[in-house]
Amino acid sequence: MIIGGQFYGKRFKVVVPHGMQLRLAHQFRVTKSFVSKVLRQKRGGRKADGIVKVAVEKFGGKVEKASLTSKE
C-alpha cells in the first residue's frame, strides 16, 4: 500500500526497467526529470501518485527500500 510517498510507513524508491521513465513521462505529459524525482520521492502530488501507481502496476516497477545514507 502506497500512502503519501510511503510504502507501509517507510521511505521507498521505485525502480523501473530501462526506457520506462521516458514512456511514463510521455504518458503523463511531464519531463523525464520529473518522473525520476517522483520515483525517488523528491516530488509529490496527485500526478506523482498516479505515476508511481502506473509504474508499479503496468510498467514492471519494483518498490525498494530507500537508503537512509543516500546523498540524493
Side-chain angles (χ1 to χ4, degrees), residues 12-52:
F12 71 92
K13 66 180 177 179
V14 179
V15 178
V16 293
H18 183 75
M20 294 301 113
Q21 284 187 8
L22 189 58
R23 288 184 64 190
L24 281 165
H26 286 298
Q27 181 173 343
F28 284 92
R29 293 189 170 118
V30 295
T31 64
K32 183 182 168 294
S33 175
F34 180 80
V35 172
S36 178
K37 289 176 184 176
V38 166
L39 297 180
R40 290 181 292 131
Q41 282 192 302
K42 302 296 180 188
R43 297 293 301 255
R46 284 187 187 163
K47 194 170 275 196
D49 291 342
I51 289 171
V52 170

Side-chain angles (χ1 to χ4, degrees), residues 1-7 10-12 41 44-45 49:
M1 175 194 308
I2 299 171
I3 299 174
Q6 295 186 351
F7 187 76
K10 303 201 181 196
R11 304 253 327 144
F12 71 92
Q41 282 192 302
D49 291 342

